[in-house]
Amino acid sequence: MVGSIKFDGVKKDFLTMEGETVNALSGVDLEIEKGSFVCLIGPSGCGKSTMLRLLAGLDTPTEGTIYIDDKKVTRPDYDRGLVFQDPNLFPWLNIYDNIAFGLKVRKLFKDRKNDVGEFIELVGLKGFENSFPHQLSGGMCQRASLARALIGHPQALLLDEPLGALDAFTRMNMQDELLRIKKEKEMTMIMVTHDVDEAVYLADKIVVMTPRPAKIEQIIDVRLSQPRDRNNAEFIRLRSKILQILDFAGKEKEVEYSI
Ligand SMILES: Nc1ncnc2c1ncn2[C@@H]1O[C@H](COP(=O)(O)OP(=O)(O)O)[C@@H](O)[C@H]1O
Ligand SMILES: [Mg+2]
């Protein structure tokens, strides 16, 4: 299995149009074991998407280095697949052609034509090959977007709030699908989420980030076996621990008793 990842002293500053420097990441050190599921969680605007974009090679760190399997990340490559909140499918292509698109661009379609059917089946879209994105639900479009990322056989799948726009039931369904796909294809998955429950349900490791300039506040190992029970005592303990770190645990009002 391949796909170990290392952030080594990664800093990222952005220069705004007004000429101000935005210090997005202020020194991130993180090691991700191959084959693990890591969730990044933290306040909005703290730099989670920036971390994924840097790992994807879509942008470069101001300081520090990112490695995948000891190889320096310098540009996007097929060893990393990307899935965003918006499925970003081509509306004029049917599901089959959307998923096959990457292979066609790389002139691999003739040799790997069978992959298209395999991945359509893997994400549960068999029978919908000829449908267009507007004819499918949000969850189905996100399944297609997953297949499109997986068809390149990535070592690591980078997921930026991929289930954020789905309704609660579809979302839980898709969480199970992600776990099933990960087990079948044995890859590293790194997912940004705002949903603490989702992180505890999916991850081996939860990375809690501080507000900007972001660094890692705490790394929590989830030692629960899969499949997980959301009502398990340890599950609930971890959920409240993370909410506390994020300062969202809430305060109990003092109750005045009178007899
Ligand atoms: N291209 C950019 N130019 C200027 N500022 C940016 C750019 N990309 C991100 N930022 C800023 O960096 C910070 C982190 O952004 P982001 O990684 O998108 O946060 P998150 O995904 O955690 O919500 C934010 O304050 C954002 O405004
Ligand atoms: Mg983001």
Side-chain angles (χ1 to χ4, degrees):
M1 206 189 293
V2 283
S4 73
I5 289 157
K6 185 173 174 188
F7 283 75
D8 187 11
V10 173
K11 293 189 183 175
K12 181 65 186 173
D13 295 334
F14 290 108
L15 198 60
T16 65
M17 302 276 260
E18 293 77 36
E20 281 169 37
T21 303
V22 176
N23 185 206
L25 297 176
S26 72
V28 171
D29 294 302
L30 176 65
E31 284 193 44
I32 295 175
E33 272 173 48
K34 45 187 78 171
S36 58
F37 201 133
V38 170
C39 278
L40 303 179
I41 200 160
S44 199
C46 79
K48 304 178 294 296
S49 295
T50 302
M51 272 180 76
L52 283 199
R53 285 178 55 79
L54 294 175
L55 176 55
L58 296 170
D59 204 344
T60 46
T62 311
E63 265 180 52
T65 313
I66 302 173
Y67 301 91
I68 177 154
D69 288 330
D70 300 323
K71 218 174 71 208
K72 229 169 138 167
V73 170
T74 51
R75 60 184 176 85
D77 209 339
Y78 294 101
D79 58 355
R80 284 146 284 150
L82 274 162
V83 181
F84 301 98
Q85 182 167 334
D86 183 338
N88 284 316
L89 300 171
F90 297 121
W92 60 89
L93 294 181
N94 66 21
I95 293 305
Y96 185 95
D97 289 335
N98 260 291
I99 294 170
F101 185 81
L103 293 182
K104 288 184 178 171
V105 168
R106 292 165 71 193
K107 309 231 180 314
L108 292 172
F109 182 66
K110 246 166 96 185
D111 294 339
R112 296 189 13 205
K113 203 172 172 180
N114 290 343
D115 275 12
V116 184
E118 185 201 326
F119 282 97
I120 284 177
E121 195 157 352
L122 181 76
V123 300
L125 284 179
K126 203 165 185 301
F128 294 94
E129 292 86 344
N130 296 322
S131 303
F132 286 84
H134 75 272
Q135 296 172 309
L136 301 184
S137 68
M140 288 164 101
C141 286
Q142 205 50 299
R143 284 170 189 266
S145 153
L146 255 174
R148 195 184 44 185
L150 292 168
I151 205 156
H153 294 279
Q155 298 163 14
L157 192 63
L158 319 185
L159 305 138
D160 196 350
E161 301 191 51
L163 313 182
L166 305 180
D167 68 82
F169 295 137
T170 308
R171 187 170 187 149
M172 286 192 270
N173 224 319
M174 288 297 287
Q175 291 167 358
D176 287 330
E177 293 288 278
L178 278 176
L179 291 172
R180 181 180 58 78
I181 290 167
K182 181 171 171 299
K183 201 168 161 194
E184 201 167 312
K185 294 290 168 194
E186 298 192 323
M187 67 186 76
T188 310
M189 287 194 180
I190 304 169
M191 175 162 157
V192 170
T193 179
H194 277 113
D195 184 336
V196 178
D197 234 72
E198 182 164 274
V200 182
Y201 190 71
L202 295 174
D204 306 310
K205 210 178 245 198
I206 300 172
V207 178
V208 188
M209 311 285 297
T210 64
R212 194 167 56 78
K215 50 184 175 29
I216 294 171
E217 170 93 52
Q218 208 163 318
I219 297 177
I220 292 163
D221 288 310
V222 185
R223 295 186 211 282
L224 293 163
S225 58
Q226 292 285 6
R228 292 181 182 159
D229 171 3
R230 295 174 208 271
N231 294 315
N232 168 289
E234 176 63 5
F235 192 108
I236 294 168
R237 190 190 70 80
L238 284 172
R239 180 203 289 140
S240 50
K241 180 176 172 173
I242 295 164
L243 285 172
Q244 242 160 30
I245 301 170
L246 293 169
D247 217 12
F248 284 122
K251 309 253 177 315
E252 208 174 316
K253 277 199 190 129
E254 273 191 33
V255 186
E256 286 177 31
Y257 291 103
S258 57
I259 300 171

